[in-house]
Amino acid sequence: MPQHDSNPTGSHSGGPDAPLHLLLVEDDAAIRRSVGMALERYGYRVSAAPDGLTGLEMFRESGPDLLLLDVMLPHLDGIGVCYKVRETSQAPILMMSARGDALDVVAGLEAGADDYVVKPVDTPVLVARIRTLMRRAAYTAPTDPATEQPAADDNVLTFRNLRIDTRGLEVCADGQPLALTPTELRLLLEFVSAPGIVLERQTLLRRVWDYGWEGDSRVVDLAVQRLRRKIGADHIETVRGFGYKFRR
């Protein structure tokens, strides 16, 4: 088996002050080293794997806070790794594509990735994307400042077969809990906060993905598709030429 060029493994659950643990899966040794060292300078703890199968094994063993995953990998490509991870985990996944090829991007997002970057990527841009994903994953609903507790029942919304606890961040469909990724959950919360109102793709990019520039609307379209598969397609209506609307 290929050697793991990594720091000691382990997850962020070691304590609130422990550095975030990132797993980088990249087959190019030079990129693996340079990206790993750059991220460590920003205070992250980085483990790295040279191929998809090794990366999947390391993910299952160490449970990192975020998976940074190249698309083109030996033994098992990044798309396959992404599908396997999503069978058991909702951890944030950031895909990397050397070409920015449309098929690579679409396949990665369909497999469950939260976002993607095109290589080569500047370290500050990569770190900004990582921080955005981690903020989304760590999202907690605000509490009543007077009591520091959630308000009783106003936080539970019901839309036909859906029950959404906007404070406890729990979603059920037909009484069964749904496993949503942080991105899917934030997207759903944006929709249910404005039912019946059309939300443009760029608005969703700004609010959910935290893009401060014109981002790729494909990430929105693919995330909406994944969300529809989980909550039911008839809850979100496509308004052609504008965006999406959550049906009451």
Side-chain angles (χ1 to χ4, degrees), residues 31-54:
I31 295 176
R32 201 163 60 241
R33 279 193 300 272
S34 62
V35 171
M37 290 173 62
L39 291 174
E40 286 172 347
R41 284 196 292 271
Y42 276 83
Y44 297 109
R45 184 164 64 88
V46 182
S47 299
D51 63 79
L53 287 177
T54 304

Side-chain angles (χ1 to χ4, degrees), residues 161-163 169-180 230-231:
N161 67 321
L162 280 183
R163 182 182 183 277
L169 303 180
E170 296 176 346
V171 180
C172 293
D174 299 316
Q176 299 300 312
L178 297 180
L180 301 182
K230 293 182 178 182
I231 68 172

Side-chain angles (χ1 to χ4, degrees), residues 65-223:
D65 296 294
L66 180 140
L67 179 59
L68 189 57
L69 185 61
D70 189 23
V71 172
M72 303 300 291
L73 293 168
H75 306 312
L76 179 65
D77 67 14
I79 310 302
V81 173
C82 197
Y83 274 116
K84 290 289 186 183
V85 166
R86 282 288 176 253
E87 289 176 359
T88 58
S89 173
Q90 304 305 321
I93 299 176
L94 180 59
M95 300 288 291
M96 300 188 298
S97 170
R99 295 170 295 171
D101 182 82
L103 293 178
D104 285 350
V105 170
V106 169
L109 295 172
E110 283 184 333
D114 295 283
D115 201 355
Y116 78 96
V117 293
V118 177
K119 298 188 296 184
V121 57
D122 291 337
T123 303
V125 173
L126 180 59
V127 170
R129 295 290 184 89
I130 290 171
R131 286 175 175 167
T132 295
L133 287 179
M134 294 312 303
R135 280 198 301 272
R136 209 178 303 156
Y139 176 80
T140 55
T143 55
D144 183 337
T147 63
E148 296 188 354
Q149 296 294 326
D153 292 327
D154 339 346
N155 56 320
V156 177
L157 304 176
T158 303
F159 298 90
R160 288 171 282 159
N161 67 321
L162 280 183
R163 182 182 183 277
I164 303 158
D165 184 341
T166 61
R167 303 273 184 164
L169 303 180
E170 296 176 346
V171 180
C172 293
D174 299 316
Q176 299 300 312
L178 297 180
L180 301 182
T181 68
T183 298
E184 292 162 355
L185 180 57
R186 288 297 298 269
L187 185 59
L188 179 60
L189 292 176
E190 286 296 332
F191 279 127
V192 300
S193 70
I197 295 175
V198 177
L199 298 177
E200 296 181 347
R201 289 173 175 84
Q202 292 299 326
T203 298
L204 292 169
L205 274 173
R206 186 173 65 253
R207 293 180 181 175
V208 178
W209 282 264
D210 198 24
Y211 284 178
W213 60 90
E214 291 294 310
D216 186 345
S217 64
R218 285 177 298 185
V219 300
V220 177
D221 296 335
L222 271 297

